[in-house]
Amino acid sequence: MAAQGQAAVSLATFNTSEKMADIRNIIQISEAMGNIATVFALEYLGSSREAIFIITLLRQDGYTVEHVENAIIVKSRKENEHAES
């Protein structure tokens, strides 16, 4: 489902934010180290709105994101490709 109205504007803005760049950078470093997943504590993600935006954008980037108690697990795209094969 595509975001609409103000949510779409906010999501597009958040996509280019420093916070989102930091999240993507951490994931890239984790993948480069050979990790199949990266775990983020919910408190690191910020507010509920920021967490929802982060999860949405990561899913749009092709990551599988799972929510566990007080954290999210972002599976690497390589792991996702192996799972689909």
Side-chain angles (χ1 to χ4, degrees), residues 4-39:
Q4 298 178 355
Q6 185 61 34
V9 173
S10 297
L11 189 61
T13 300
F14 194 82
N15 191 33
T16 60
S17 70
E18 185 176 333
K19 180 70 170 189
M20 197 63 210
D22 288 343
I23 295 287
R24 287 184 174 119
N25 187 45
I26 291 168
I27 293 169
Q28 288 175 350
I29 291 169
S30 179
E31 287 178 335
M33 294 176 67
N35 296 320
I36 60 170
T38 307
V39 178

Side-chain angles (χ1 to χ4, degrees), residues 9-70:
V9 173
S10 297
L11 189 61
T13 300
F14 194 82
N15 191 33
T16 60
S17 70
E18 185 176 333
K19 180 70 170 189
M20 197 63 210
D22 288 343
I23 295 287
R24 287 184 174 119
N25 187 45
I26 291 168
I27 293 169
Q28 288 175 350
I29 291 169
S30 179
E31 287 178 335
M33 294 176 67
N35 296 320
I36 60 170
T38 307
V39 178
F40 292 95
L42 288 179
E43 63 187 30
Y44 178 76
L45 301 180
S47 69
S48 296
R49 180 182 175 104
E50 288 173 317
I52 290 168
F53 282 0
I54 290 166
I55 292 166
T56 301
L57 291 167
L58 290 174
R59 286 182 174 158
Q60 287 179 354
D61 288 348
Y63 292 101
T64 298
V65 181
E66 295 178 7
H67 181 267
V68 295
E69 188 173 341
N70 298 318

